[in-house]
Amino acid sequence: SLLLFPFDAMKLLPRLLSLDIHRLLAGSALVQLGGLVAATMLGVQLARYLGPANYGIYGLILSIVSILTVVAQFGLPLFAIKEVASASSSNAHADLRNVIGWFVLHSVAAASVTLALGLMATFLWSPEMLRAKADLVFLAGGTVFAFSLLAVAISIIRSAGLNLQGQAVDALAKPILISAVVFAVEGGTAGLTVRLALGAQLAASILCLGYCALAIWVIAKRQPATPPTTQSMTQRRYAPDRWLMVSSTFLSTSLLLAFNGNYPLLVAGLFVAPVDLGIFRVALSSALLLSLPCSIANIGTGPLVAKLHEERRFDELADNLARTTVLMFFLTLAGLLLLAAFGRLFLS
């Protein structure tokens, strides 16, 4: 059966276009491809303006920020996809406004606790570094706080029916805004520094967070005033069952993925010079091209999977997932062949 799998899968490809999910995947693909271009251009821009040494230091700080951001999120972005999508379905189990309010409150609390513990640990570990590099530490801490809240806000937007808009904020708007801020800073000063690059990250995240807050307010305002059940769900306090266990599971999985994506830079930062670290970061980022099809599938189908599961449409759910898996397999295989054929030329 394994030998016949490619032939059986090929028979399914013509039927993929008949699925409703193909529109979602096509839109996600366009957003992710645009985001990949924007992120690549931003990387080139930062590498040129910062130079190899400062770019290596910047990459190391951003790797630490990425891991701390996952801790600050506490698994709430993935949990929000499930709960907000369920509250938006036809047989909602809770009022959408109450669900959104719960996630906003708990995401702020989780990010605040993580940031306080991180600053305390930095002070206990190296008080001299906190005094000498206080601006870098606080910029990195502010970026962690903004990144964590932005991830939860994007999950709420996506799950409430604005899937592509939520993806566009993270994949397109944020790198484009960072690039614009970096370009403005570089043109108006003697040169870009690591501090200014981190400040650009923080400023772009705050702008994106403001847009997400406005979108969430619109979503909550459009929620029907009449509850779908005889007992008003707006009067009941939303309290998800065993949310600590669920969020901890999501956190552990996301933390492993974050370590898996950042440990090469963290380990290399202990043994190599900043110049070599910057060159290594540029080479490592090219490998992300191969994971793009799987990223598109995960991001594009997440809210739909939660909604179909909540509405107990299991046959449609299984059919969509199976066909999406086949499509992602062939797209990843094509990317692997292209990387094997032209990878050396691309890196050079």
Side-chain angles (χ1 to χ4, degrees), residues 40-60:
T40 302
M41 296 306 296
L42 175 62
V44 172
Q45 186 183 28
L46 288 171
R48 288 189 60 188
Y49 289 165
L50 287 173
N54 284 335
Y55 189 58
I57 296 172
Y58 169 81
L60 184 61

Side-chain angles (χ1 to χ4, degrees), residues 13-327:
L13 290 179
R15 299 172 57 192
L16 287 171
L17 295 178
S18 64
L19 296 174
D20 291 336
I21 197 174
H22 86 277
R23 290 191 292 269
L24 184 60
L25 290 177
S28 298
L30 290 176
V31 171
Q32 294 300 315
L33 285 173
L36 180 63
V37 173
T40 302
M41 296 306 296
L42 175 62
V44 172
Q45 186 183 28
L46 288 171
R48 288 189 60 188
Y49 289 165
L50 287 173
N54 284 335
Y55 189 58
I57 296 172
Y58 169 81
L60 184 61
I61 294 175
L62 214 58
S63 295
I64 298 173
V65 166
S66 299
I67 293 175
L68 290 178
T69 298
V70 173
V71 178
Q73 292 170 2
F74 199 69
L76 292 175
L78 291 175
F79 192 34
I81 289 178
K82 174 185 177 298
E83 292 297 301
V84 176
S86 298
S88 304
S89 63
S90 56
N91 53 341
H93 66 288
D95 181 70
L96 181 59
R97 285 184 288 263
N98 291 343
V99 175
I100 291 175
W102 188 93
F103 276 101
V104 170
L105 177 64
H106 284 72
S107 61
V108 171
S112 300
V113 170
T114 302
L115 187 59
L117 292 177
L119 292 175
M120 186 184 304
T122 304
F123 177 77
L124 294 176
W125 178 53
S126 178
E128 296 81 8
M129 186 186 74
L130 189 60
R131 285 192 293 267
K133 307 287 186 181
D135 51 350
L136 274 179
V137 171
F138 284 105
L139 276 173
T143 305
V144 168
F145 190 83
F147 277 10
S148 60
L149 296 185
L150 183 60
V152 177
I154 289 173
S155 295
I156 292 174
I157 292 174
R158 290 176 51 213
S159 303
L162 301 177
N163 191 13
L164 292 181
Q165 290 89 330
Q167 292 182 55
V169 171
D170 188 44
L172 278 175
K174 190 168 73 171
I176 290 175
L177 287 173
I178 295 172
S179 181
V181 174
V182 167
F183 183 79
V185 168
E186 176 65 20
T189 64
L192 186 68
T193 63
V194 175
R195 291 171 175 81
L196 292 175
L198 285 175
Q201 287 272 1
L202 180 58
S205 300
I206 292 174
L207 290 175
C208 291
L209 193 58
Y211 169 81
C212 290
L214 179 61
I216 290 174
W217 179 79
V218 172
I219 290 170
K221 194 174 181 63
R222 289 179 180 175
Q223 176 74 1
T226 304
T229 58
T230 54
Q231 180 184 4
S232 176
M233 293 186 299
T234 60
Q235 303 300 321
R236 290 187 293 171
R237 181 171 175 265
Y238 171 72
D241 296 333
R242 298 178 296 179
W243 73 269
L244 277 174
M245 187 190 330
V246 176
S247 294
S248 299
T249 303
F250 287 144
L251 170 63
S252 60
T253 303
S254 300
L255 199 56
L256 287 175
L257 292 174
F259 272 112
N260 186 52
N262 291 284
Y263 82 88
L265 275 175
L266 296 175
V267 174
L270 299 174
F271 301 103
V272 303
V275 174
D276 295 327
L277 187 62
I279 297 173
F280 175 68
R281 187 173 189 267
V282 173
L284 192 64
S285 61
S286 63
L288 296 176
L289 290 170
L290 193 59
S291 64
L292 184 61
C294 292
S295 299
I296 293 171
N298 290 332
I299 294 173
T301 60
L304 181 62
V305 169
K307 188 171 184 178
L308 291 177
H309 184 272
E310 179 67 22
E311 296 175 356
R312 306 188 68 82
R313 294 153 60 185
F314 298 121
D315 291 339
E316 186 178 350
L317 174 62
D319 190 54
N320 284 329
L321 289 179
R323 296 169 192 271
T324 303
T325 302
V326 172
L327 180 61

